[in-house]
Amino acid sequence: ASEPPTVFHWIPFFGSAASYGNDPLNFFFECQKKYGDVFTFILLGRRVTVALGPKGNNFILGGKSTVFNAEDAYTHLTTPIFGKDVVYDVPNEVFMEQKKFVKVGLSTDNLRAYAGMIEEEIEEFVRHDQNFKVYQANDINEWGTFDVVKVMQEITILTASRTLQGKEVRDALNKSFAELYNDLDNGFTPLNFMFPNLPLPSYRRRDKAHLKMSEFYVNIIKKRRAGHQDHEHDMIAALMQQKYRNGRLLNDKEIAHIMIALLMAGQHTGSATGSWALLHIAANPSVSEALYKEQVEHFVGPDGKMRPVTFEELRGLPLLDSVIRETLRMHPPIHSIMRYVRDDVPVPATLSAPSKDGIYIVPKGNYVLASPAISQADPTVWKNAETWDPYRWNDTQGVAAQAFAMYADENGEKIDYGFGAVSKGTDSPYQPFGAGKHRCIGEQFAYLQLGTLIATVIRMMEIRIDKVPEHNYHTMITMPKTPRTISYRRRNF
Ligand code: HEM
């Protein structure tokens, strides 16, 4: 057996770092044309084997953690930020227990309690933050502008802290917390992924910020343990009650570090998706008006007033749901999902083979990389793949609906087209939340946060932009390039 083809490159150690770093999707599409769905490229000395398409997704995301290992691929990036004894700093079995603990905090009961809080935060923000001066001037004919990414970053942290993170974090946001968060966040870059430890100020600030942040959460937990405060709906409260299989409760540091991990997991993914969604809505006035109509039809009561959103009702809005789903198809925040190869692994002949009878082997010591972003943009799978068209999801016979149906639930069952349905099918072309063992558990929370965001913004204002910006791939999470300025005008809300 031989190895998959290696992508041609001029400079030995550097390899394809520039092409991959500048535009990974274009790089993968080009390689796919030359080498097929499975190939290896050199990334600053690492050998990275990419497997594309639904079968490639299945090969990597459906693989065993003993051969395709996540902690070996990510720990050097994440442990300095999250801290010890959680996520990728512990063996996979332990992290899987921790994921179950987090799921308790993300129960439907909690999500129900969050809907109103999220709406309130966003309304408050638009009514008082300096980014929305024209709105506050109360003139419904004047247009103003806002930088969508800046606004979304603030809204995402405000809403996540008010709900999951809890009262103490929300209260600290205006103070030291924001700065600490920024220093930590500056440790979450492609540079940190490539070089875990450089003698740079940003690395030192990251390490300092981690210590302070960890202490901040530990203090909250200690105070809660000492008092009898009522925090029934937040994540800290849920985690304080969880026990490992051996009967041990989580200790303060473990809870603190899980909280940091959750903060980081939801922040960029949420703010990027919210930004892309608002950009597309702003560029498509007809969708924007249809969304507003959907709000009016569902939420205006007999008194003519718009009611607050609820978790249940949001789930029943087909256009809102399709807008989020379509945004995540074209702009999945995570373009590369990586694993470290712990043992030689044969590539199934149905996925890629050197000749009719042969098979390829991915050797131990390589990395493997899945990119659902590619199958989500594949023109052989999706009609008009490059067009943002939320209505493609309404055609229940269409390819989009079929792809979503393959996005099976936890028991491998096909799911209904429900709002933010939890699922982990590994062979679907549609996987913005990943698949398999490491699949996202924040999907329902993200749908609630994004659905409430869009509903609230659409109720409060009209938004416009001439053109949706291109992707910027120089950040860990795929963001829109500047300028990303949206024009808005107040509605009579
Ligand atoms: C895992 C995407 C929001 C927590 C993942 C993965 C993806 C993803 C692609 C798989 C990573 C891998 O296999 O290596 C997203 C997107 C989001 C989002 C697109 C929003 C639009 C959230 C939120 C939370 C969260 C809000 C927490 C409240 C997690 C956790 C994992 C995960 C705990 C598991 C990691 C693992 O098992 O290795 N997410 N995520 N995510 N996400 Fe999310």
Side-chain angles (χ1 to χ4, degrees), residues 61 88 95-96 99 103 337 339 404 407-410 415 420-426 430-444 447:
L61 302 181
Y88 305 119
F95 176 39
M96 290 301 132
K99 269 178 96 170
K103 274 195 182 174
I337 297 178
R339 304 284 183 256
F404 196 64
Y407 187 79
D409 81 0
E410 312 236 273
I415 46 160
V422 176
S423 56
K424 64 175 187 183
T426 50
Y430 183 74
Q431 298 181 330
F433 293 96
K437 230 181 170 166
H438 289 280
R439 194 189 191 289
C440 188
I441 51 174
E443 176 173 9
Q444 296 224 36
Y447 259 75

Side-chain angles (χ1 to χ4, degrees), residues 41-55:
F41 73 98
I42 306 299
L43 177 64
L44 301 174
R46 295 171 170 83
R47 298 181 59 83
V48 183
T49 301
V50 181
L52 299 175
K55 284 184 192 152

